[in-house]
Amino acid sequence: MNKIEIFKGNENGKSGIGIKVKDDNATLADLLAAWQPLCDDSNIYKLYGDNHFAVCKGCNTNCCNTAYVIPDIISFKKMADHKNLDHKSFISAFFDREKVKAGLLRMQPDPCVFLEENICTIYPCRSLICRFYVCTDILGTAEQLIYSLAWTGITALQVFAEENDLIDTDSKAGLSSFDLMFKKLIEEYRYKPQVKLFLAADNYEDIPLKPFLA
Ligand code: SF4
Ligand code: SF4
């Protein structure tokens, strides 16, 4: 039996993609494996996709051109390893210098520093934000689960970066209102117990979904 079911359904009068967790032992890796086919599914309506029905691979109106990506801690470590860089050098090479100085780990955008010819060059280790983003309608409960997982992982990276002197924490110079909103979100998540799960994990298999379910 699959531990996760991804379905098309309705919730409060809105239709969209939903998530059903069918096994108490399901992990974030199980959810990601079940979610991945959506990217490759040309039968679901994709708001920004070519002709609205397309696979994400090679998409011409690629969301990666404008994406605001702060990676989760697991992806961050895997991307740095993939580039054979220590964490500090990885940040210097691929993150937005101004934002890092102001304490926010945003990857270099417009287009994303890892996008080449409309293809992600670090696809197997891309972050949760990237993995979960599909430009289609998602039901509220599913959106909440995804949001909670992504921001907990991002907050864990922030804590890790602060503890290891990878970013400054005091300055707010150079931050837009958008950036400040993200910093506020990170502060909201900072003391949630689930952050420790991400801090202790090496892989998405190590993150149980149960503590994230409402
Ligand atoms: S999610 Fe991004 S890559 Fe996929 S169809 Fe939408 S805009 Fe294109
Ligand atoms: S890391 Fe990859 S998937 Fe994520 S925004 Fe960049 S190019 Fe796109």
Side-chain angles (χ1 to χ4, degrees), residues 7 12 16 29 38 40 63 78 81 87-88 126 128 130 137 148 154 176 198-199 207 211:
F7 62 95
N12 303 323
L38 295 174
D40 307 321
C63 47
K78 286 191 184 299
D81 284 352
H87 295 149
K88 200 140 208 152
R126 72 200 189 286
L128 288 177
C130 303
D137 285 331
S148 164
I154 287 168
S176 65
F198 270 91
L199 283 167
I207 308 285

Side-chain angles (χ1 to χ4, degrees), residues 46 48-50 54-56 59 61-64 133-135:
K46 290 183 182 150
Y48 306 119
D50 303 333
V55 296
C56 291
C59 169
T61 52
N62 207 313
C63 47
C64 310
Y133 184 75
V134 189
C135 57

Side-chain angles (χ1 to χ4, degrees), residues 66-203:
T66 52
Y68 190 125
V69 181
I70 308 176
D72 58 280
I73 187 168
I74 293 171
S75 164
F76 172 84
K77 290 177 178 173
K78 286 191 184 299
M79 288 190 289
D81 284 352
H82 179 74
K83 292 287 176 190
N84 284 321
L85 291 172
D86 62 64
H87 295 149
K88 200 140 208 152
S89 309
F90 177 56
I91 290 171
S92 298
F94 295 104
F95 285 68
D96 183 322
R97 194 157 298 182
E98 286 303 306
K99 306 297 180 206
V100 173
K101 266 196 221 156
L104 201 58
L105 280 169
R106 182 185 188 183
M107 292 187 347
Q108 289 170 24
D110 306 321
C112 172
V113 66
F114 291 123
L115 189 68
E116 282 177 25
E117 298 181 358
N118 279 336
I119 299 285
C120 174
T121 54
I122 44 99
Y123 200 71
C125 30
R126 72 200 189 286
S127 68
L128 288 177
I129 285 186
C130 303
R131 287 167 190 263
F132 280 126
Y133 184 75
V134 189
C135 57
T136 194
D137 285 331
I138 298 172
L139 299 182
T141 46
E143 208 163 37
Q144 190 157 349
L145 174 61
I146 287 169
Y147 193 83
S148 164
L149 286 160
W151 280 97
T152 306
I154 287 168
T155 303
L157 174 60
Q158 184 79 15
V159 171
F160 175 81
E162 289 169 11
E163 286 176 358
N164 291 279
D165 289 328
L166 298 174
I167 46 172
D168 293 334
T169 50
D170 297 334
S171 167
K172 284 196 171 54
L175 291 184
S176 65
S177 54
F178 216 43
D179 302 325
L180 289 168
M181 185 181 77
F182 289 145
K183 282 200 99 161
K184 192 164 169 251
L185 252 177
I186 288 170
E187 290 316 307
E188 280 171 25
Y189 274 78
R190 184 180 288 272
Y191 298 106
K192 289 187 187 277
Q194 293 91 331
V195 170
K196 290 199 171 74
L197 293 173
F198 270 91
L199 283 167
D202 293 320
N203 294 295

